[in-house]
Amino acid sequence: MAIKEDLVDLLLKDTEAFNEQTKGNAEDLSEVDLSNTTIEGAVFDEVDLTSSSFADSQLTDVKFINCDLTSVDFTRATLTECQFNESILNGADFSYATLNYCGFPDSDLAGAIVREADLSNSDFTMSENLSASRFDNTTIWPDAEYLPEDFDSSYSDDLSSLKDEEDEYEQSDY
């Protein structure tokens, strides 16, 4: 396993060498800052990127295969033709991001944040737990054919469902 700083440097200077270096290795790139970068053609295969940042980055044809992307920051990033295969995206933040023709087969999106994101051209049909993601009425979803059958993309700001159960059963003595 290589040192994080060396791998990041290699990724930014020679993507092909990075892909060769990391192929078949379970690398740890957790908590690395890749914000404001342009990355094209990188393959992250079984890489731990937990709590890393790709904020304000341009990612093109990047593959995340069986990666841990828990709490990764993709805010304001532009992702084009990226694949998230069998990856964990719990708590990943795609707020204000644009995803063009990205795919999420067998990826877990529980708790992913997609507020004010443009997902209109991406494919979520084979993703898991999209219903447990956090979105708002400004999130732009793809057509229904690119969403899981059980997913409802309509947004409701009805907070009555969040009412504290104690309040419901508590009786006042006054």
Side-chain angles (χ1 to χ4, degrees), residues 39-57:
I39 302 172
E40 187 171 341
V43 178
F44 295 93
D45 190 357
E46 295 189 33
V47 176
D48 179 1
L49 287 155
T50 303
S51 299
S52 294
S53 178
F54 291 93
D56 299 298
S57 292

Side-chain angles (χ1 to χ4, degrees), residues 2-11 18 21-22 27 29:
I3 298 172
K4 284 183 192 183
E5 293 79 20
D6 294 341
L7 284 176
V8 169
D9 190 49
L10 190 59
L11 171 65
F18 170 84
Q21 171 80 28
T22 60
E27 298 291 351
L29 289 177

Side-chain angles (χ1 to χ4, degrees), residues 38-168:
T38 299
I39 302 172
E40 187 171 341
V43 178
F44 295 93
D45 190 357
E46 295 189 33
V47 176
D48 179 1
L49 287 155
T50 303
S51 299
S52 294
S53 178
F54 291 93
D56 299 298
S57 292
Q58 305 283 321
L59 305 180
T60 304
D61 193 30
V62 174
K63 292 174 179 48
F64 297 93
I65 303 165
N66 199 25
C67 290
D68 188 346
L69 299 163
T70 301
S71 300
V72 170
D73 184 1
F74 289 102
T75 56
R76 297 173 306 279
T78 300
L79 294 84
T80 304
E81 297 180 357
C82 295
Q83 293 297 310
F84 296 85
N85 299 359
E86 300 177 9
S87 294
I88 299 169
L89 291 149
N90 302 152
D93 191 348
F94 291 94
S95 296
Y96 310 100
T98 301
L99 282 68
N100 295 304
Y101 306 102
C102 296
F104 294 82
D106 300 316
S107 287
D108 186 352
L109 290 153
I113 304 164
V114 291
R115 292 185 177 123
E116 296 192 44
D118 183 350
L119 315 170
S120 60
N121 296 314
S122 292
D123 188 347
F124 294 90
T125 53
M126 301 301 293
S127 67
E128 299 172 5
N129 297 315
L130 187 60
S131 295
S133 67
R134 294 181 278 173
F135 58 93
D136 59 15
N137 61 347
T138 61
T139 302
I140 302 171
W141 293 100
D143 292 337
E145 66 187 278
Y146 297 108
L147 294 169
E149 288 181 23
D150 62 343
F151 181 68
D152 180 6
S153 63
S154 59
Y155 173 75
S156 172
D157 59 1
D158 180 14
L159 299 177
S160 65
S161 63
L162 301 176
K163 188 175 182 182
D164 190 1
E165 287 182 19
E166 273 186 32
D167 292 343
E168 195 172 308

